[in-house]
Structure formats: structure tokens, C-alpha cells
């Protein structure tokens, strides 16, 4: 079953991981898969990631939460990428889906959180779902988000007016 973006073209994917070898392996696996995905770029350095996202328009960016290059971490890159490239959907790649990391990933602007403990086939499903405009979160991750919303203080609604 081939899924193609709304425009009828393959989904354009950008890969960003702190580990150069892991980044190269993910790029290679996506390129060799039978899925309609085109890898448009990859990077490991936070500054380079943001630069290349601007030079290589992507439908989906997979950004590791584990980027380490002070003062910008992976979630900082996600936040900056969301602001600079609002039409690019973002998947945060985590080593383990811990509550705080999942919640902060979505707060930073992720459209999905994906754990490295999942299979490559699930990553492809995640890319297709997020590329089609869906949110990717498993049941536990959804619970984390609901609980964070329920325990957080009331947030003012931007543009809201009181009568």
C-alpha cells in the first residue's frame, strides 16, 4: 500500500539525529524502503539542521530530542523549526517515551513523538500519518498529555476577550 502526500508526490523527509551514524542509517533505510519517501536532507548539528531545513523544503522532519550542542538542545531545535518552518510537520525521536519528554516534545511544537524502541515499519507509518496531517501519539503518550493539561494552571486564550 503506497501512501503519497496530498500533492500526489512522495513525502519529503528531513532527518536530524545527534549520532551521525544513526542519522546515516535512518536516511539509508528510508531511501531503500519501498515507501514513497524522499529524503531531502540530514544533519547532526543544531545550527546545520535549521539551515538545511530552510534550504531543503520538507513535509516531515524527524528531529532527535537527544541533540546536544548548547545552548540549543533537540527540543530547542524543534521549537525553532516550528517557528521558522510552520508547514513542516515534526516528529520528535526519543530514546524512551518518558512522561516529561513526551509532554515537552508536544509543547515544543511536535506533531508526533516516536520512540527508538519501535520498529522501522512503525516509523514509516508515523511518517505517513504525520505527513497526512495527523498527530502521532500512542495511548500512554496521549494520557501524559491529558494529565499535563489537567494539572496545568489555566492558560489565557490568545485573542480571547472578556465581556
Amino acid at each position: 500500500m503506497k501512501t503519497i502526500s496530498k500533492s500526489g508526490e512522495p513525502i519529503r523527509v528531513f532527518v536530524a539525529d545527534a549520532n551521525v551514524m544513526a542519522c546515516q542509517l535512518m536516511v539509508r533505510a528510508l531511501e531503500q524502503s519501498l515507501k514513497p519517501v524522499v529524503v531531502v536532507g540530514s544533519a547532526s548539528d543544531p545550527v546545520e539542521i535549521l539551515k538545511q531545513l530552510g534550504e531543503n523544503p520538507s513535509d516531515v522532519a524527524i528531529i532527535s530530542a537527544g541533540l546536544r550542542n548548547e545552548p540549543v538542545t533537540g527540543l530547542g531545535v524543534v521549537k525553532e523549526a516550528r517557528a521558522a518552518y510552520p508547514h513542516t510537520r515534526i516528529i520528535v525521536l526519543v530514546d524512551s517515551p518518558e512522561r516529561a519528554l513526551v509532554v515537552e516534545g508536544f509543547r515544543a511544537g511536535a506533531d508526533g513523538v516516536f520512540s527508538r524502541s519501535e520498529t522501522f515499519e512503525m516509523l514509516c507509518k508515523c511518517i505517513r500519518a504525520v505527513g497526512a496531517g495527523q498527530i502521532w501519539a500512542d495511548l500512554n503518550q496521549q494520557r501524559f498529555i491529558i494529565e499535563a493539561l489537567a494539572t496545568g494552571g489555566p492558560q489565557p486564550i490568545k485573542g480571547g476577550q472578556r465581556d
Side-chain angles (χ1 to χ4, degrees):
M1 176 177 114
K2 290 198 171 197
T3 304
I4 298 177
S5 66
K6 293 177 191 174
S7 66
E9 298 294 319
I11 298 171
R12 297 169 300 168
V13 177
F14 184 89
V15 178
D17 198 324
N19 181 301
V20 175
M21 184 183 294
C23 191
Q24 291 172 346
L25 289 170
M26 190 181 319
V27 166
R28 183 73 171 225
L30 288 168
E31 289 173 342
Q32 291 181 350
S33 75
L34 299 176
K35 309 301 180 204
V37 170
V38 173
V39 178
V40 295
S42 65
S44 294
D45 176 70
V47 173
E48 190 65 23
I49 291 165
L50 293 168
K51 178 182 173 202
Q52 284 201 34
L53 275 170
E55 295 171 357
N56 303 295
S58 319
D59 300 310
V60 175
I62 302 168
I63 302 175
S64 173
L67 296 175
R68 300 279 185 253
N69 190 1
E70 294 304 324
V72 182
T73 65
L75 295 181
V77 171
V78 169
K79 195 172 202 173
E80 289 184 40
R82 170 59 64 218
Y85 312 107
H87 298 295
T88 299
R89 301 191 189 285
I90 299 172
I91 298 168
V92 172
L93 186 63
V94 297
D95 290 333
S96 65
E98 298 170 14
R99 177 184 307 265
L101 193 52
V102 169
V103 171
E104 289 307 311
F106 282 106
R107 280 191 179 138
D111 296 288
V113 172
F114 189 83
S115 174
R116 290 182 195 272
S117 64
E118 298 291 332
T119 65
F120 179 73
E121 185 61 34
M122 286 303 288
L123 176 61
C124 292
K125 287 181 182 181
C126 176
I127 292 168
R128 289 193 308 266
V130 169
Q134 297 175 25
I135 301 300
W136 185 271
D138 69 20
L139 293 175
N140 289 329
Q141 293 169 355
Q142 291 174 35
R143 176 60 48 204
F144 297 160
I145 296 162
I146 298 293
E147 289 171 356
L149 287 171
T151 59
Q155 299 293 318
I157 298 172
K158 292 183 179 179
Q161 298 177 349
R162 292 192 160 180
D163 295 330

